[in-house]
Amino acid sequence: HHVTDRLLTPLGLTATTWDQPDHDDWARPMRWAEDGWTCESPTPPDGMIAPMGGIWTTVADLAGWSAWLADAFPARDDHDPGPLRRSSRREMQTPQRYVGQRTLRGIRLPTSYGYGLRVLDDPEHGTVIMHSGGLPGYGSSMRWTPGGAIAVVTVANVTYAPMTELGARIHDLVHAQGAIPDPPALVAPAVGTLAGRLIEVLSTWGSGRTVSPEMLAALFADNVDPDE
């Protein structure tokens, strides 16, 4: 109830449940065994699998969850509706422990763990946040770039389906088509003001116009002159 009330409901993830759907519109769990498909045993009820995140969800809900995490970047001062503040979400997506290298679509890349999420240093996309999941009868993966407008969600009703590899390949294709815009560059008001003053100083330097010592003192640290 705590997770549902504090996270799922405020984020509008109404199709995400703790129990098997009570309707017929859901993908049955399957397993590939002995060169053929067989029905997987139903996922145990809440309790046995719950510690590893045994909840039922949809692509749309998982995409909404990913978008909410990605929206924590960049840091900014505008309204923060929660239910977990943006700074905490950024901590989740900041490397806390290096966990070695892994290979995706033939590329080896360094990986770290944040708080509950993997952080990849990808040569094609820069920082990529992702996590995969697997249960008897299911496999899933989600990935996005911090502040990006697109998340890639891949799911399958096959035991431990390798959806991370597929997600990485889809990410490459979408990126190659120019469909992933760069995140907006936000500038704090104080930084913008000082940058304008610095440009004014640089544009008049050597032109014969006098730059006031007061303006320079406001812009430069006290070690500038000694470091010349």
Side-chain angles (χ1 to χ4, degrees):
H1 289 297
H2 180 79
V3 173
T4 299
D5 294 343
R6 296 292 297 275
L7 286 172
L8 302 181
T9 300
L11 292 175
L13 308 182
T14 56
T16 301
T17 64
W18 298 95
D19 301 309
Q20 179 178 306
D22 57 4
H23 51 74
D24 198 48
D25 188 19
W26 60 282
R28 272 54 175 178
M30 303 293 292
R31 175 188 290 270
W32 180 265
E34 298 180 0
D35 299 324
W37 293 108
T38 182
C39 293
E40 181 64 274
S41 300
T43 302
D46 183 21
M48 183 179 294
I49 301 295
M52 59 184 292
I55 62 176
W56 299 80
T57 191
T58 65
V59 171
D61 270 19
L62 197 53
W65 174 257
S66 302
W68 175 66
L69 290 169
D71 187 58
F73 293 92
R76 55 198 187 276
D77 294 329
D78 55 350
H79 178 58
D80 186 356
L84 181 68
R85 62 187 180 184
R86 282 191 297 267
S87 59
S88 296
R89 281 178 274 159
R90 289 194 298 273
E91 286 182 330
M92 293 174 63
Q93 301 169 72
T94 300
Q96 307 295 334
R97 180 178 292 274
Y98 177 68
V99 292
Q101 299 207 355
R102 69 177 303 172
T103 301
L104 288 173
R105 73 265 202 242
I107 301 174
R108 285 186 60 79
L109 55 157
T111 67
S112 303
Y113 246 115
Y115 292 131
L117 293 167
R118 280 188 176 271
V119 184
L120 312 181
D121 186 6
D122 191 288
E124 294 294 328
H125 310 292
T127 300
V128 173
I129 312 299
M130 61 82 59
H131 211 292
S132 57
L135 289 171
Y138 297 100
S140 64
S141 178
M142 57 181 184
R143 60 163 35 222
W144 61 88
T145 53
I150 292 181
V152 177
V153 174
T154 49
V155 296
N157 59 325
V158 178
T159 296
Y160 303 123
M163 306 311 291
T164 299
E165 177 73 17
L166 177 61
R169 292 178 180 273
I170 292 174
H171 197 170
D172 286 346
L173 289 173
V174 175
H175 182 269
Q177 295 175 17
I180 303 180
D182 293 329
L186 300 183
V187 180
V191 174
T193 299
L194 290 174
R197 292 176 181 171
L198 181 58
I199 291 173
E200 181 183 351
V201 168
L202 294 176
S203 63
T204 59
W205 205 281
S207 65
R209 294 171 56 187
T210 302
V211 179
S212 72
E214 292 77 19
M215 178 179 286
L216 294 179
L219 287 172
F220 299 152
D222 55 11
N223 66 306
V224 170
D225 279 344
D227 281 348
E228 182 178 357

